[in-house]
Amino acid sequence: MRRPTERVLVNLALYDGVDDALQPDRGVWIGADGLIRAVGPVDDVLTEAGDVPVVDLDGEHVMPGLTNMHVHLSLGLPGHLADTVHRSNLAELVLLMADSARRTLHAGVTTARLVGESRYADFALRRGIEAGAVDGPRIFTAGHALCCTGGHGWEADALEADGADGFRRATREQIRAGADLIKVCISGGIAGQFEAIDTPQLHDDEMAAVIQVAHDWGRKVTAHAGPADSVRRAVELGLDCVEHGYELTDEVTRLMAARDVWYVPTIVVSRCEQFFRDSGVPGWLMERALAAGPRHWESLQHAIRNGVPIALGSDMPPHAGYDETSATVRELEFMVDAGMTVADALKAATVRPAQWLGQADTLGTVAAGRHADLLVLRDDPTRSVSALRTLHTVIKGGVVYRDDHCRLREPR
């Protein structure tokens, strides 16, 4: 089991997740408990830390670890990915997910929100990560996604239900298993062969049943959703977050902003042709995904323009290669290309997800008392989110999990 090492990082330029401007000549004191003890001007931090070992970062850039809010560690798109998942027994599935979790962490994602996994393996994996037996990000999970009979995701182990009572029971089953949130599929999507993106799949009483039970138990609800009308109905019923939103309108995004309903656009999934080819997905899926791209892009622009709170989520494996970077970083670049400021995009990957998850006092920023989840980059992220392409060091909870320059190598 890896344990945090107390140290002070000095000679660094800091993006702390709060101040949009870069803070030069900063120091960060990481405690032996994996929490940040102090942040500030180097001399002040060194004085406070005393004889704690010091690591000089040579003027490089430090920022909070990323949070990816749309992750499937047991991703089973039609094709060989689904075949691998479905052929696996439970032990094999957990190992496959553990490998994806390790790669996700190495890609700079220190927190992941899982929005639909298989056979409750995510809970076993979370326990392994928390115990230090497995390297991976902090996990907040929905357990199984919920869908109607034959609805979106049923082939990927979404839990099928029908009627308000059926969805109440399915929601309670995820909470019983330990779900931190609930994910419900309210329309068709890209990966369902016998549906269209704009196919409505839940009645109002079914959506209301999920939302009411989840809220009664202190859980938020996020919805896989494509068409604007399905989103509108769910928002009016009290939905907390929209995934994908392939066909949002100006009117619906205004409603989302007014109701403080969040949006996780996953814009990469409608423009990742090479990933689909490499994954061996059937032609109909790739054609549907790429055809959705222009309208999906408009949806994101509507949301940005109307002030919808937006959080980063890739849907693709966070670590998957994309245009010589990861899907997570490419998603951020697309968000900026669509009109989001660099400052807002960085917050969408750090402090804002922490707020949605109810973890703003522990995650998402570099501040005293927060978990020491830190990334070290060569370039300045406040100038361009593409600086994340120069990531070379990943720290989670004061433990170094990636250290390309061997400055912070951990004893085992």
Side-chain angles (χ1 to χ4, degrees), residues 12-345:
L12 60 91
L14 178 66
Y15 167 69
D16 65 3
V18 178
D19 190 340
D20 292 342
L22 197 70
Q23 303 172 37
D25 303 318
R26 284 309 192 253
V28 178
W29 176 13
I30 300 173
D33 56 0
L35 299 179
I36 296 172
R37 301 287 298 277
V39 180
V42 171
D43 289 345
D44 293 349
V45 173
L46 287 174
T47 298
E48 189 173 353
D51 295 331
V52 173
V54 173
V55 177
D56 190 324
L57 292 184
D58 296 328
E60 294 203 301
H61 303 83
V62 170
M63 66 174 287
L66 304 177
T67 295
N68 192 314
M69 293 279 278
H70 193 116
V71 176
H72 302 283
L73 293 177
S74 59
L75 182 66
L77 288 174
H80 68 73
L81 288 174
D83 293 342
T84 299
V85 169
H86 293 148
R87 284 198 308 265
S88 300
N89 61 35
L90 186 56
E92 291 168 336
L93 177 62
V94 173
L95 289 173
L96 287 170
M97 294 172 67
D99 178 63
S100 185
R102 177 184 58 82
R103 292 169 184 264
T104 293
L105 180 58
H106 285 202
V109 176
T110 54
T111 300
R113 187 185 69 159
L114 310 187
V115 287
E117 299 294 347
S118 179
R119 288 174 267 170
Y120 299 101
D122 44 321
F123 298 102
L125 178 64
R126 181 173 65 183
R127 288 191 293 271
I129 292 172
E130 290 174 348
V134 179
D135 292 351
R138 303 178 191 281
I139 285 180
F140 296 85
T141 185
H144 282 261
L146 310 182
C147 71
C148 65
T149 296
H152 183 79
W154 74 269
E155 311 99 317
D157 288 339
L159 185 65
E160 293 174 291
D162 291 295
D165 285 343
F167 276 96
R168 289 189 187 96
R169 179 177 181 82
T171 302
R172 291 175 180 135
E173 286 174 351
Q174 303 319 296
I175 295 170
R176 179 180 63 189
D180 304 292
L181 64 141
I182 299 297
K183 159 80 173 297
V184 61
C185 301
I186 66 173
S187 78
I190 285 172
Q193 184 173 7
F194 303 112
E195 63 191 39
I197 286 175
D198 62 357
T199 304
Q201 293 189 349
L202 263 68
H203 296 297
D204 284 6
D205 63 334
E206 294 171 321
M207 290 190 286
V210 173
I211 293 167
Q212 181 179 1
V213 169
H215 287 179
D216 285 347
W217 287 76
R219 303 322 195 262
K220 292 181 178 178
V221 179
T222 194
H224 163 99
D229 187 61
S230 293
V231 172
R232 176 191 58 76
R233 290 162 48 217
V235 167
E236 290 174 347
L237 291 167
L239 184 69
D240 300 294
C241 187
V242 173
E243 310 293 314
H244 313 303
Y246 297 115
E247 299 175 354
L248 300 180
T249 61
D250 180 78
E251 179 185 5
V252 166
T253 52
R254 287 180 185 275
L255 177 64
M256 290 170 63
R259 300 286 183 94
D260 196 32
V261 177
W262 289 55
Y263 182 37
V264 180
T266 70
I267 199 70
V268 293
V269 299
S270 59
R271 46 203 8 91
C272 58
E273 180 176 354
Q274 191 58 52
F275 172 73
F276 287 137
R277 291 190 185 281
D278 293 344
S279 301
V281 303
W284 62 263
L285 190 156
M286 185 164 64
E287 291 170 8
R288 183 184 298 175
L290 299 180
R295 188 66 187 80
H296 194 190
W297 190 261
E298 290 178 7
S299 296
L300 175 55
Q301 291 183 314
H302 284 311
I304 293 169
R305 183 174 59 253
N306 289 325
V308 176
I310 295 175
L312 165 74
S314 63
D315 200 5
M316 284 177 64
H319 54 82
Y322 193 131
D323 288 351
E324 300 182 339
T325 186
S326 69
T328 300
V329 174
R330 197 70 184 96
E331 176 77 14
L332 271 183
E333 292 174 337
F334 278 135
M335 289 160 70
V336 172
D337 291 344
M340 186 176 283
T341 66
V342 170
D344 279 345

